[in-house]
Amino acid sequence: MKRQLLVLLIVLVHAQISFAAITVKGHVFDKTNGKPMEYATVRACSLPDSTFVSGCITDPSGQFSMELSKGHYVLEIQYMGFLKTYKNLTLDGSKSTVDVGRIGLSPDNQLLEEVEVVAEKSTYEMTLDKRVFNVGKDVSNTAGNAIEVLENIPAVSVDVEGNVSLRGDDGVRILIDGKESGLSGMSTQDALRTLQGDMIERIEVITNPSVRYDAEGSAGIINIILKKDKRQGFNGTVNVRGGYPWMYGASLSANYRLKRWNLFASYGFNNRSNIGGGVNQTKRFDIIDGDTIFTQLTDQTTERRMRRMGHNVRVGADYYITDRDIVSAAFLFRYGRLETHPVVQYFDEYPLLGTSSYDVRAEDYLEYDPMYEVTLDYDKTFEREGRSLKANVRFFTNTETAGSGITETLYPDKNMEQALWTVYQKTANNQNMRNLQASIDYVHPFLTKAQWEIGAKYTNRNILSNDSVWQKNGEGWEPLAHYCYDYEYSEQVAALYTSLGNDWGRWSAQVGVRAEMTDIMTNLKGYAHDGSDSINGGKPYIDFFPSAHVNYSVNENNQFQVSYTRRIRRPGFWQMSPFRSYNDNRNIRMGNPALQPTYMDSYELGYIHFWDKASFNFTAYYRHGTNMIRSYTYEEDGVFYSMPINFGKADDFGVELVAQGQMTKWWNLNGNVNFFRSYMNGTINGVEYPTESWMLFGRAVSKFKVSNWFDLQLTAHVMGPHKEPLGMRKGNWWVDLAVSKEIFKGNGTITFNVRDLFNSRSWGGESWGDGFWQYSTSTWNRRSFSLNFNYRINQQNLKRNRPDGEGGGDEGGGGDEQQGEDMMD
């Protein structure tokens, strides 16, 4: 396979038969005030057929640059609220660089009288290699956290405990600003709940990543981009929020750009409570002479009150050494505090004995988890368009200190008149993680539109965990041996990748390969469930991860892509840690230090069609996985243990539909649906369990602009039931409501949110095994209400004002200029 891949790379290089590239550059400015125009769109179409060839946008100084071959072209320059401008261009190859000079745009006065042009991005953008969700415009996300923002993204599912999955697979790699961050350290769910939605600029979903990205994540990558503005001068935002169940918070962000310095800072505080719970029904039985004899029936209810408080501070600076060399440094501090008070009640019936009992177990849990992160980046661009060098070093440390007090009382019945006995227990947990990352990426364009990329990355992570459970005996405390241990987890990953890509007009392609060497060490001291230390130690291994992407543009509005990637899902610390929970001592969640990585081969065929005010994306995909990780529950001495295991192979066939459209001036509708068939086959304790399941999930978002008064948004989510080995997950649906209104001449926004409008969201299903059957359902939080106020400083709605910038370029050069809509005859 390695030899074949090498041959493919060589063929791709030698397949370039084209003329030397000609750089075309120019400068776009506003004719009314002479100021440069950032974000103006420049499109090059070949003559005489007007076929789209290339395009770009202008930078803050109004400059643009693109590479074209010899030929005849027309340049189309446009900016919302301005008349389109066209410039004919002939390239004969006598010059390597052609400057078309200064191009002025005039306002479309008729359009500006009818509608105010707001400097906002669309909520959802689709490209063939990733989907981009711009958080700023979605009114339901202003007062939410990162978990709630992810709930609104197509193909992404979030369960009631905050576990994120993509197309039904929870092997998702979550990145912050393209890198693994301390914000998603030991407890991703808790960290994302402390990250407020107003701190997020956009979220990128990449289902079939190229070799430039880490191979980790069998389902793909979710990349959360935090806000950092680079406009000249000062700008910022202020957010204040409150709601029920009791929550309140505030955040501030500021950005100051002056000459070669760009300074940014943000602070967020959030304190919110959750009221949740669930029920669990368990039936234990024996099969005697073909008859089912129930030996114990248990009805379990859980009520949970939780309060989570978090502070996030982020400061940093960009320094432009030259116009092509930027050094960036940032510091992030997160402090979280978690209080939870679960009360678990068990009502047990023993049919054979004709007796019952009532057991109440209450816990007071407290956790602190400070995190520090330091990053240093260097970005360099070269004179040739597309050539770049990037380097990054990142270090973060995350400490978690937690403990709880537990009281359990047994009564003969639900009357609770007299206790039979009371047990006092306490838990302690101390964890410390250190993570060092370093990466370098280089992009080198050659020939006309070919591109070579190469890069390397090194990650070193070390986690120390000390856990213990104690029970009071008289006046002293005794440890429970099976729940006391010291555990060390160490992971090193060294990666090297290279890829080649080229563009042949309507066709473009990229192939590459990534090599990763992994070394995971586990060291368990003090306890091993099987009585041995066979899980200690580790062995380094090397894997190769190829990827290939082929794009075909029928025209500007119709595009196809075929892609393939190979991915890995390494078991993480939580999955390998031998102990995970103790608040419910009858249902213990634990890790499995013997887990092996999952490998996934993913194939996709995608199609995108764009209309003026709508778009449609269709994706058909197939995934083949080995060493799939699934949850397995078994019973031992009256306690149910749930742990992840390597189950077997899986084959998924699915289709995904995503559509969005501006139905009228006042109504925007978008939605997605994902439907797939999954077939799994694996063994548990020597027994084979073939499992076939169909699954459907989707969402629909309807946004209404009610005159000039307010905006209304309704979001409906649905998730169908599906089978699992030795279990069944139930279906689920819920609806969210949001209303927003602009105030203070567009500088402020008030947003009112209702999460889970009909209080219908829950999570659960059935599971069974030797001699037992269980049914459970739970809710993380009940219906909630929130009110958010956002105020923007120097970020008001703009009609034609653009940031100041430097002039430049010469008048004329390159062809004739024509204004208006009478385009290219």
Side-chain angles (χ1 to χ4, degrees), residues 481-486 524-533 535-536 578-579 590 641:
H482 278 213
Y483 299 101
C484 299
Y485 66 91
D486 289 329
L524 179 62
K525 297 172 285 186
Y527 164 70
H529 188 69
D530 59 0
S532 70
D533 61 353
I535 60 176
N536 294 341
F579 173 67
M590 55 191 298
Y641 297 91

Side-chain angles (χ1 to χ4, degrees), residues 765-776:
E766 302 177 48
S767 61
W768 51 80
D770 293 335
F772 74 90
W773 172 89
Q774 282 189 326
Y775 170 80
S776 64

Side-chain angles (χ1 to χ4, degrees), residues 79 93 105 136 189 314 318 372 378 464 468 605 633 751 758 760:
Y79 186 86
L105 299 185
Q189 300 93 330
R314 182 170 178 256
D318 305 316
Y372 305 86
Y378 171 68
L464 299 175
S468 61
L605 170 63
T633 301
T751 306
F758 301 105
S760 60

Side-chain angles (χ1 to χ4, degrees), residues 177-220:
D177 288 335
K179 309 286 192 308
E180 182 184 359
S181 170
L183 282 175
S184 55
M186 289 185 293
S187 178
T188 303
Q189 300 93 330
D190 290 343
L192 294 179
R193 286 192 180 95
T194 66
L195 181 61
Q196 289 304 303
D198 53 64
M199 296 177 64
I200 301 172
E201 178 179 340
R202 66 183 186 274
I203 296 179
E204 301 173 344
V205 178
I206 311 168
T207 54
N208 257 14
S210 70
V211 296
R212 179 190 305 174
Y213 297 92
D214 291 343
E216 175 66 39
S218 58

